[in-house]
Amino acid sequence: MKNKPVCYVPERIIPEVYSGTPTFLGLPKISNKEELENFDIVTMGVPWEGICTWGSYTDCELSTKTIRSASARYGGYMLDYDLDIFDHFTGGDYGDCIVQNGNYDVTFNGIKEKFGEIMDAGKFPIVFGGDHSISNPLIEVFAKKYNGKIGVIHFDAHMDNMPSFGDEKLARCSPFYRVYEQENIDAKNIVHIGVRGPRNHPDALGNAKKFGATVIPGMDIKLNGWKQAIERAIEVASDGTDAIYVTVCSDILDIANNPGGPPDPCGMTSFELAMMLHECGKAKTEAFDYVEIYPLEDKANVSSHTAVWMTLHLLAGVTKRKFNL
Amino acid sequence: MKNKPVCYVPERIIPEVYSGTPTFLGLPKISNKEELENFDIVTMGVPWEGICTWGSYTDCELSTKTIRSASARYGGYMLDYDLDIFDHFTGGDYGDCIVQNGNYDVTFNGIKEKFGEIMDAGKFPIVFGGDHSISNPLIEVFAKKYNGKIGVIHFDAHMDNMPSFGDEKLARCSPFYRVYEQENIDAKNIVHIGVRGPRNHPDALGNAKKFGATVIPGMDIKLNGWKQAIERAIEVASDGTDAIYVTVCSDILDIANNPGGPPDPCGMTSFELAMMLHECGKAKTEAFDYVEIYPLEDKANVSSHTAVWMTLHLLAGVTKRKFNL
Amino acid sequence: MKNKPVCYVPERIIPEVYSGTPTFLGLPKISNKEELENFDIVTMGVPWEGICTWGSYTDCELSTKTIRSASARYGGYMLDYDLDIFDHFTGGDYGDCIVQNGNYDVTFNGIKEKFGEIMDAGKFPIVFGGDHSISNPLIEVFAKKYNGKIGVIHFDAHMDNMPSFGDEKLARCSPFYRVYEQENIDAKNIVHIGVRGPRNHPDALGNAKKFGATVIPGMDIKLNGWKQAIERAIEVASDGTDAIYVTVCSDILDIANNPGGPPDPCGMTSFELAMMLHECGKAKTEAFDYVEIYPLEDKANVSSHTAVWMTLHLLAGVTKRKFNL
Amino acid sequence: MKNKPVCYVPERIIPEVYSGTPTFLGLPKISNKEELENFDIVTMGVPWEGICTWGSYTDCELSTKTIRSASARYGGYMLDYDLDIFDHFTGGDYGDCIVQNGNYDVTFNGIKEKFGEIMDAGKFPIVFGGDHSISNPLIEVFAKKYNGKIGVIHFDAHMDNMPSFGDEKLARCSPFYRVYEQENIDAKNIVHIGVRGPRNHPDALGNAKKFGATVIPGMDIKLNGWKQAIERAIEVASDGTDAIYVTVCSDILDIANNPGGPPDPCGMTSFELAMMLHECGKAKTEAFDYVEIYPLEDKANVSSHTAVWMTLHLLAGVTKRKFNL
Amino acid sequence: MKNKPVCYVPERIIPEVYSGTPTFLGLPKISNKEELENFDIVTMGVPWEGICTWGSYTDCELSTKTIRSASARYGGYMLDYDLDIFDHFTGGDYGDCIVQNGNYDVTFNGIKEKFGEIMDAGKFPIVFGGDHSISNPLIEVFAKKYNGKIGVIHFDAHMDNMPSFGDEKLARCSPFYRVYEQENIDAKNIVHIGVRGPRNHPDALGNAKKFGATVIPGMDIKLNGWKQAIERAIEVASDGTDAIYVTVCSDILDIANNPGGPPDPCGMTSFELAMMLHECGKAKTEAFDYVEIYPLEDKANVSSHTAVWMTLHLLAGVTKRKFNL
Amino acid sequence: MKNKPVCYVPERIIPEVYSGTPTFLGLPKISNKEELENFDIVTMGVPWEGICTWGSYTDCELSTKTIRSASARYGGYMLDYDLDIFDHFTGGDYGDCIVQNGNYDVTFNGIKEKFGEIMDAGKFPIVFGGDHSISNPLIEVFAKKYNGKIGVIHFDAHMDNMPSFGDEKLARCSPFYRVYEQENIDAKNIVHIGVRGPRNHPDALGNAKKFGATVIPGMDIKLNGWKQAIERAIEVASDGTDAIYVTVCSDILDIANNPGGPPDPCGMTSFELAMMLHECGKAKTEAFDYVEIYPLEDKANVSSHTAVWMTLHLLAGVTKRKFNL
């Protein structure tokens, strides 16, 4: 693409998606629906935090700003694969959707409208949360596009498949119960990968089982390696589907590698996640979200930088697939 | 009021305005327009940050959360005046308006709609920002209600009366230029008080002069005392008007008293501001906003606690006036 | 005294009261009751936090360490009065008393035993808290020594005179209700000075009135000056008594001057408090405590440094009185 | 057990062990010796910091609070093993023992008395420090119960087996020299595992050799895997003994996984430690302590969260063993 | 001047004095001695920290960067006086001098060479430290230019007039003893103003007296007002001299107003210091230094912002004097 | 050596290299060129930050202080190898070289002069940066000594081999382009190891290829193990050379293991780097630098502690080689 993002270029001009916040990677800003035409890969943000399920974790609505700020440090060239994503794709940043604190209706409509525009235009979306509740409306829109023939690979320390949190069915611990229930999705193509530890409810495995979803615990990845784990996940998500939706909660990573995330140890390193996302990209992934970074505990924005790397490893995989590299 | 906010009551139940965030002072949550009827004093939040005029100051959209969180420590009883605001008034919290990062249109409409509902219901509004740009639509709605017969007392280190910031006429350094221009407002009833220091543009005094607004610099308050200063301000704002709008940028305070604010020294102490706001309350103030707290630099939320105290000193003045105490 | 604490002496050896923590001002360590004989002024610590009345304020048990750590920066010479406290007095540090988290009985017995030893030996005690509940047993022991003929000057933002917190009568919001009730103390000699703001219960003034205690609000100090305020306080506390007990909650200070304290603005500057404590020292003060510093929010230990200065200003007053300087 | 700890239950009521601090996992509070009867697993805290051997590491007495605070986020269900500890065991929190800063006698008696009550009642104890010196009296009481037929597995970056620190034989660098010397313990059943790096004294290996203790360096674990290492450790500790005591210094973990610990890199990941502790639980472990977390450098309490996970992985192993799961 | 520094100008280009650090106020960079010709006011930095007299205060060599970074927020227009310094003067930034950690010789030669060039060119120097030891060589060069007919006004919490620190005569607690001794300076024209508190050595007042220097304690300013104090100081410093050197240690300010400074309470507010410096500017001040800001404890760089304001208040006074405004 | 550095020795006296900063490991201070004779291993610091290539990373000039401060916690005994470096070698600290902010000439001359003295004396140098630009003059001096017959092993996340940054050929992203060009060095003996991620320029691999340097990406180490990777690196660097220069940028480590470094995930653990450096030491390494630690984001100085461990692992390898252990 023209003016593709390249690092170590002091004269590089990095546009703002809104004041004080650069666009993702310094890509062009997309100001309206019509401009979507010009871009293959499109970023949007969902600065939303709904129900808090654990009090001291709050403010993940800030991360649509911090991920973009971190991203300005980078280009699209991945030395690791000797491949520049933006030699092959164009990309742009479509800003954040409408939100209202405390109001799921306004916010989920905001998500569906903006994400729907990207889907309608046939683009590859990258969505930054916000809390994990947003994957529910996102996947709903995504499934519609593919007539429900989709797989979902869900990277997380937690199953996020509770029927509700108290009375609230849209809470961040429940999106995958909602997805299980979506009529045109077959839960047999859903994989929860990396789950672990005592912040999971005793019903979590049972809920997955009831709907036929697959679980690959974190312990399996650590003991037997990331390669076999992601191969199984892709197999399940691909079986009879046309496209895969990949959703990442930052706490799939060990808290050591994700200081701005929920404090869950015994997790993946950033390298292990990068490799698994790269494989997803090489498989038929067609949409991606990355959620639940809490910048307030992470002054150096390490988790936001890591989110950028993870996105680029996935996109490098997509590039290889689409251009047979 | 029933269940009025009282501190040192361990069994006190503090409602949430949305998950993770208590209502202001633990007052009842107002869920819709109809419920406004039941309350005299109504809080709303504007979690908005538009144009950044100085890069490292960002994230003031977070403070609608942090001010409310701080407020849960307090009741409405002010020992200083031996007066309990909620022996006389009822109060509630109406939540935050709709916003979209980067989009003044969506956000200002959100402000005007929600604030308009409070005005239409005839209630006393307390608005927490957000950046100072929000005072422009707020005052527009307020003036409409009073057919323009309003005064404005603007506490700030900065004049915020630039014609624009670059091309952007709605930026946080420009709301009072916009207010000067509003047709049904007489700028002669506008007072800028507490302004000081090298973060003011050379045209700032000239712009005020051109429209006839009054300026009472911070140096005047420090050298001659807060009492004479606020008396003059009230006189100007009251002259021929029916109601006063009071707007406070946190940096009227010295940075020592406002660690979550812009770094402006040589300012007021919290005591001086409390006294001035109390006098405003005793005069014909009918609406109040408090803006520009940046929680990220202020881990103990001192600026948010201070915002609560300032609001209560003003409301104690309002109580005295309306009930002849 | 021999080896008196003097600053800017690189070869000065500062003893530890226990490992990792210097003695107060680097004075000698007092290892047992018998050694009390050798010292005029004796420091002790009460690393105790009982009932929390506001959740986010916790960890004040740490400040017996942080105040001593800060104190090692100083000597006993006060340039302001051109007077060296330890040219006239000897001083030592008697360590901390026994405590058990959650157990008022063990802890208050620990306080009374160690403080009783200092009182029995006829020494001038300096006690560092811990939370304000400790003043209750301390004053009980102090009153016994003087057959109840004591006055109390209580510096605080809060009255701390609730009958109980829930069922707990020994909580930090209640010590002065307990002191009111002590049989051999006349509450008419108790003064609450500096109280202010919305973190006071509506009954606070009434409780004081019922027992005949005097209240000098912070607003009175700010509006009319510290000099007249402390003169009145001393007059009340001295009337018919043999000795005055001075107790300071750090939040008498403005949060700007006390970043490790409860977040109460509109308070005193450190200079104003220093002057008032100096006057107390010049009057018949015979014991002193300083409580409620929360080091976790105050990485540079500013509140602990300030506690040292305040103590020295008071002791300089005591020196003047006892040696007619 | 009744009211067993389960996460994602918004109405769950979490008791306090003392004000401001929840019980471990929200288990019932045990108020006195008699109530010990009702519980299988019993937590106690030792908020003690004795001699500092490296100045800038201090305040580990705070962690009996921070570990419990972190634990309230979790339940006893471990998805990793699809096993709920409290389906099989009951558990409670017995609070903290008596301590006095600077006084080993008072504190070690406090430890032995409270820990002795748990041992006498025949319960499985979980002890949170404090510094590592506490393992000395704890193991003394433990050995008494088993007539000395015990093994000890000591996870640490450091040998902690110096004869003394200066003159102090009870310092945190010396507990295992004291344990070597205990008459009814055979040092041949003691294993130091995970030790590494330049914060070990040249005599450390020699001291172990002299008494016959086994050393499995961290480098061995990293190069050859955790599985063979812990198998050897268990073999040594089990040989001819009736029970194993497991003691963990947080710095067995890499500083990356333990930001509130001493800054020792090249260590274990939390996953590796979790696996090794789980194996210990499956072997005949009958008591467990976890020490040396310094919360002041770790605002998000990551090390405390990790301590909870480690404890639960061990307890899951104990559950498997005792119920043949 | 051309391109004078004005704030709220989004297109303003701020040059760097070296990479990552803007010039002071965004003034032009002065690259060599010859370019000094073009500027009236010249800034230089001394990133030096010599002997530490109190261990935990270190890293003041960083503040030549942080003050400049803060300054980029401002213009030279002071609304308080309705005066723009750079309507009358030109200014530039001459960078930092050569330093070597631990080496007074290299560093003091570096200071004298660079400062000498500014003096030789007849310019008004603004020097940012660094620790207070640097005022010694600076004043030596300044005195030479005026044949010793100079006065010195020294704002500080501490006298900094010890004969030495241990053997080191150039330490930061000793510069004014060195200045007392300089042959061509009359110590009778030296004023120490603002000194206070227990971090002063018992000999401090005696040393001043021996050489005839004047002391105006901080307590005098607080009790009797800044106006009379600075008038006396200027009178003493002016008496029979041709020029005044003004040197400010940041701890003249209260720690509340100077969070990046030594923790000295009971000090001046920023407003009080601003007023006093402005009066100095109006008197015959011809050089200025500002030292001892420690950025590591002051993440928001409040002390650095304050240093900029203080400098501008002084320069506004200089402007009034030189242009009879 | 006499007085060799040993930990857990409370009476150990740690000298300062300059005030406030201990010597590396508490080794003797080397005050001048002549004293170099007495030491085998010599430390020097380069407190320099030149061109910033990414704005928010600044202040690495501080790390010559923080690494030494951290080092005082350790001795030279490595339990891991049961080997005490200073049983075989003597060592000393030669302080920091002359620098001037913004001036490459002054600083690089300072580097070359001081490093040249160490080389001329035939000692093993350990150099702490500073930014990576310093390796260019260091390697120039090193190569001269060996008539160019040297290899270079460069550990880094980034290639640092750009021809320039804008016009600046000496910037931190360019040192290895400069080394490529040095006449008497054969670039075929240069190895870049550990490079990875999107903060590398598209030309980075091509530049290496053009000059014949070898690249071993981080992904290769993670996928195939550190052992084979470092063996290849040593082979390349040894081929036909007399000595190897090892240079480490801290970001070869994962940001999880290096919180004071640039935020690059997917990197090495400290254990992996330790092993690789140990192998380098066992091969013919004759000089070592470690650069780019940014202490401001790393309050506990974890990165500095890690730098000390890494240095000791390398030195243990050197000891084995030179004494056939």
Side-chain angles (χ1 to χ4, degrees), chain D residues 18-19 24 30 52 58 74 113 121 135 150 165 173 192 203 213 219 223 231 260 278 323 325:
Chain D
Y18 36 79
S19 182
F24 185 65
I30 304 173
C52 293
T58 187
Y74 304 105
E113 187 185 330
S135 296
I150 65 162
F165 184 73
C173 60
H192 304 279
D203 294 342
M219 193 180 288
L223 291 177
E231 280 168 1
H278 188 63
F323 294 89
L325 303 174

Side-chain angles (χ1 to χ4, degrees), chain A:
Chain A
M1 68 179 291
K2 225 173 37 174
N3 302 322
K4 68 173 185 172
V6 179
C7 60
Y8 292 108
V9 179
E11 68 275 17
R12 176 183 174 200
I13 288 165
I14 296 177
E16 291 191 326
V17 62
Y18 36 79
S19 181
T21 301
T23 56
F24 185 66
L25 295 173
L27 293 165
K29 176 180 173 177
I30 305 173
S31 296
N32 53 55
K33 197 157 58 166
E34 288 66 36
E35 293 177 18
L36 284 168
E37 281 315 297
N38 311 315
F39 302 97
D40 304 318
I41 296 169
V42 175
T43 303
M44 75 174 254
V46 185
W48 161 258
E49 182 168 85
I51 291 276
C52 293
T53 58
W54 182 248
S56 57
Y57 282 82
T58 187
D59 297 315
C60 64
E61 76 267 31
L62 263 185
S63 58
T64 67
K65 288 187 170 178
T66 55
I67 293 171
R68 284 174 172 121
S69 293
S71 77
R73 184 176 180 244
Y74 304 105
Y77 171 70
M78 294 294 279
L79 173 142
D80 322 69
Y81 311 107
D82 196 12
L83 171 162
D84 194 324
I85 294 157
F86 299 107
D87 280 349
H88 305 279
F89 287 121
T90 54
D93 189 328
Y94 196 26
D96 288 355
C97 67
I98 289 175
V99 300
Q100 183 178 28
N101 280 338
N103 193 328
Y104 278 99
D105 282 350
V106 163
T107 305
F108 279 26
N109 284 335
I111 292 169
K112 286 192 265 190
E113 187 184 333
K114 198 165 189 97
F115 188 69
E117 291 170 5
I118 303 173
M119 283 284 99
D120 290 348
K123 305 308 181 180
F124 190 100
I126 305 286
V127 183
F128 298 116
D131 76 31
H132 219 155
S133 68
I134 69 171
S135 297
N136 171 14
L138 289 167
I139 292 174
E140 182 188 327
V141 173
F142 186 76
K144 203 168 296 167
K145 158 124 188 179
Y146 290 97
N147 300 311
K149 305 194 66 167
I150 66 162
V152 175
I153 301 181
H154 166 219
F155 293 86
D156 204 325
H158 313 112
M159 297 285 292
D160 287 5
N161 69 348
M162 300 298 297
S164 69
F165 184 74
D167 293 336
E168 182 53 73
K169 295 181 156 193
L170 300 177
R172 71 180 75 180
C173 60
S174 299
F176 295 102
Y177 204 96
R178 293 292 85 70
V179 173
Y180 293 164
E181 295 176 334
Q182 287 183 23
E183 294 216 348
N184 67 348
I185 297 181
D186 189 341
K188 300 229 160 31
N189 296 117
I190 299 176
V191 188
H192 304 279
I193 182 166
V195 289
R196 65 190 191 277
R199 182 85 188 147
N200 278 290
H201 191 276
D203 294 344
L205 291 180
N207 291 342
K209 203 171 179 182
K210 190 168 65 179
F211 287 91
T214 294
V215 177
I216 300 175
M219 193 180 289
D220 181 84
I221 308 175
K222 299 304 286 186
L223 291 177
N224 304 312
W226 60 265
K227 205 159 180 11
Q228 55 83 29
I230 196 62
E231 280 168 1
R232 271 192 296 143
I234 289 171
E235 195 182 311
V236 170
S238 299
D239 187 24
T241 64
D242 290 343
I244 298 175
Y245 186 100
V246 172
T247 173
V248 177
C249 176
S250 77
D251 57 25
I252 172 77
L253 293 167
D254 196 289
I255 181 65
N257 299 276
N258 186 40
D264 294 296
C266 297
M268 304 307 115
T269 64
S270 51
F271 182 75
E272 289 167 335
L273 180 56
M275 291 301 97
M276 292 193 282
L277 290 174
H278 187 63
E279 294 305 311
C280 289
K282 285 162 61 186
K284 53 188 161 189
T285 299
E286 294 295 341
F288 179 60
D289 72 46
Y290 198 103
V291 303
E292 302 224 2
I293 289 174
Y294 301 81
L296 283 171
E297 294 295 345
D298 178 24
K299 292 280 287 209
N301 276 331
V302 170
S303 289
S304 294
H305 282 276
T306 302
V308 177
W309 285 54
M310 296 304 108
T311 303
L312 292 172
H313 274 281
L314 179 129
L315 288 177
V318 175
T319 310
K320 285 183 180 175
R321 168 167 52 102
K322 301 227 170 175
F323 294 91
N324 298 308
L325 302 175

